[in-house]
């Protein structure tokens, strides 16, 4: 039996996350996913839109995911690998080389990321709906409207 392990934030769960989990599911018989807790993210200076319990529930509902555990520290990977008898540790290639030190415990692999989609990109799009941003846009439109009125008066 081959056990596969990965970790991630999985905020605003998107097609890149799904494709990664699908590929990981096909790499073994059992897939374990460590989902980073809100406290761990805060330590990394990262905040999520979706809270831990919801992110963990979404990841746990994906076909092929057998177990979700909380990722609470950088050091826990070694303990999790031993405790769960992990054969392959896999991350997307934005982490290429970063976890090679685990190779004394199991196989370490990095898969290509899905192109054209990211949580950062989605957050950028959502920013348009931010009340402060909407206010800025309204101010800008007011200026343009005044300029148009002015131009009309001149002609
Ligand atoms: N991913 C992907 N394609 C994308 C976006 C993300 O394959 N377009 C992969 C990432 O490479 C990562 C996983 O999806 O392996 C989860 O990505 P994030 O939610 O961004 O996780 P991250 O914040 O990188 O957490 O201990 C390490 C971490 O907790 C990693």
């Amino acid at each position: 039996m081959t056990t596969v392990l990965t970790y991630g934030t999985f905020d605003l769960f998107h097609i890149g996350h799904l494709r990664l989990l699908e590929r990981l599911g096909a790499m073994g018989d059992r897939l374990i996913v460590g989902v980073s807790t809100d406290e761990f993210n805060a330590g990394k200076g990262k905040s999520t839109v979706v809270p831990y319990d919801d992110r963990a529930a979404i990841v746990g509902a994906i076909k092929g995911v057998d177990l979700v555990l909380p990722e609470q520290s950088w050091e826990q990977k070694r303990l999790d690998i031993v405790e769960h008898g992990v054969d392959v540790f896999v991350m997307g290639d934005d982490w290429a080389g970063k976890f090679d030190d685990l190779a004394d415990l199991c196989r370490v692999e990095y898969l290509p990321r899905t192109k054209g989609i990211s949580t950062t990109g989605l957050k950028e799009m959502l920013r348009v709906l931010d009340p402060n941003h909407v206010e800025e846009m309204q101010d800008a439109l007011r200026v343009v409207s005044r300029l148009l009125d002015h131009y009309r008066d001149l002609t």
Side-chain angles (χ1 to χ4, degrees):
M1 183 166 94
T2 303
T3 300
V4 180
L5 172 69
T6 194
Y7 295 86
T9 309
F10 301 102
D11 191 22
L12 297 174
F13 194 93
H14 58 65
I15 192 74
H17 297 142
L18 180 63
R19 293 284 174 256
L20 178 85
L21 295 178
E22 283 174 346
R23 282 180 289 166
L24 297 183
M27 286 174 74
D29 309 295
R30 191 162 68 118
L31 173 58
I32 304 174
V33 184
V35 175
S36 51
T37 61
D38 298 331
E39 294 73 22
F40 182 53
N41 279 323
K44 286 194 266 181
K46 229 174 144 176
S47 70
T48 57
V49 176
V50 181
Y52 170 77
D53 286 343
D54 295 0
R55 288 182 286 113
I58 292 165
V59 169
I62 300 299
K63 199 162 62 180
V65 174
D66 297 292
L67 176 68
V68 170
L69 46 87
E71 181 187 26
Q72 290 162 310
S73 74
W74 290 109
E75 300 77 41
Q76 82 181 67
K77 292 186 178 67
R78 300 193 80 82
L79 297 173
D80 289 343
I81 289 169
V82 174
E83 187 180 333
H84 296 281
V86 170
D87 301 284
V88 201
F89 172 82
V90 197
M91 294 291 294
D93 62 5
D94 43 330
W95 290 94
K98 294 281 185 335
F99 300 111
D100 287 355
D101 59 299
L102 301 173
D104 60 332
L105 295 174
C106 65
R107 232 164 73 213
V108 176
E109 289 190 24
Y110 306 94
L111 297 182
R113 278 168 66 94
T114 301
K115 293 196 173 47
I117 179 91
S118 69
T119 300
T120 313
L122 291 175
K123 278 186 178 167
E124 273 298 304
M125 276 190 245
L126 286 173
R127 207 178 70 82
V128 172
L129 302 175
D130 183 289
N132 293 329
H133 186 70
V134 170
E135 220 168 274
E136 277 168 26
M137 292 296 287
Q138 283 169 337
D139 287 348
L141 283 173
R142 250 177 250 122
V143 171
V144 172
S145 158
R146 247 180 270 132
L147 280 173
L148 284 174
D149 286 346
H150 182 64
Y151 177 73
R152 222 174 284 126
D153 288 347
L154 287 178
T155 54

